[in-house]
Amino acid sequence: MLLRRRIAVVAAVVVAMAGALSACTGDDPRPDPEPTVAPTPTPDPDPEPEPTAEPVEREDPEEFIRRWFAAGDRMAETGDPSDYLAMTHDCEVCEETADLIVGIHEAGGYVVGGERSLANFERMSRSGDLRGWQFEVTTAPTEYVEEEGGDVLTLDGGTSTQFVELVRRGTEWSVRNHGAFA
């Protein structure tokens, strides 16, 4: 009986090894199983796209504020407030800023420079869907003319602490108020 058991064990080991060897040599007639994981796509070599007024899925407040400031910089350069205002809701100071810039461009004036960079974001408040954020804004020097043929005026660049109040409207943020601390 002991001999039969050893023969059965040896036979099982031989069958298992033969199966393993045939898999290694490619003699297994069974087709390879289909992969269950899709291949990883190759990353896009293009640089990061320009910020737009189009909402970004699950955008955090800091990203939104940066995108809104970029829309404001484009508005100052082009005189087109559509992207800037599309990102606001009941923001009186935002509408006044847009009216001022549009008025300059309609009168034949221009705005050059004044690009802004933002840093050191800090949440100030939260109440329901309203969020308050403060951050540092570094502004490049600005040159502007209020009307065609008008004097060239300048604003020194510098750093200031500013705030934005955001309100969540559905899945998107909107600017409700904006200002600078004295």
Side-chain angles (χ1 to χ4, degrees):
M1 188 183 273
L2 184 59
L3 184 57
R4 284 186 195 169
R5 244 188 241 161
R6 281 190 181 166
I7 292 173
V9 169
V10 170
V13 169
V14 168
V15 170
M17 288 181 68
L21 287 174
S22 70
C24 291
T25 62
D27 293 338
D28 189 351
R30 292 175 289 171
D32 290 337
E34 291 295 319
T36 57
V37 177
T40 305
T42 307
D44 188 5
D46 291 339
E48 189 172 311
E50 288 293 319
T52 67
E54 292 298 315
V56 178
E57 188 174 331
R58 293 186 179 185
E59 184 174 40
D60 70 32
E62 182 178 331
E63 292 168 334
F64 174 81
I65 293 167
R66 289 181 187 282
R67 194 164 55 88
W68 181 68
F69 265 76
D73 289 346
R74 283 191 309 279
M75 174 183 68
E77 181 183 331
T78 66
D80 179 3
S82 57
D83 285 348
Y84 175 82
L85 289 175
M87 299 170 73
T88 68
H89 180 72
D90 293 334
C91 179
E92 192 173 313
V93 70
C94 302
E95 292 169 11
E96 290 170 0
T97 300
D99 289 345
L100 175 69
I101 296 296
V102 168
I104 288 173
H105 283 270
E106 286 179 347
Y110 64 86
V111 179
V112 176
E115 294 82 9
R116 299 167 293 178
S117 62
L118 286 60
N120 301 323
F121 283 80
E122 185 178 328
R123 188 170 74 191
M124 298 176 359
S125 62
R126 177 180 181 168
S127 177
D129 288 338
L130 191 64
R131 307 285 188 278
W133 288 85
Q134 75 177 26
F135 43 91
E136 289 180 9
V137 178
T138 302
T139 306
T142 306
E143 175 183 294
Y144 67 102
V145 173
E146 293 178 327
E147 61 188 10
E148 187 174 358
D151 293 336
V152 175
L153 306 171
T154 59
L155 298 172
D156 294 335
T159 300
S160 63
T161 301
Q162 298 188 19
F163 71 91
V164 168
E165 289 179 355
L166 301 179
V167 64
R168 172 84 63 188
R169 295 180 58 218
T171 60
E172 300 174 15
W173 294 107
S174 291
V175 175
R176 185 78 174 261
N177 194 10
H178 171 242
F181 293 106

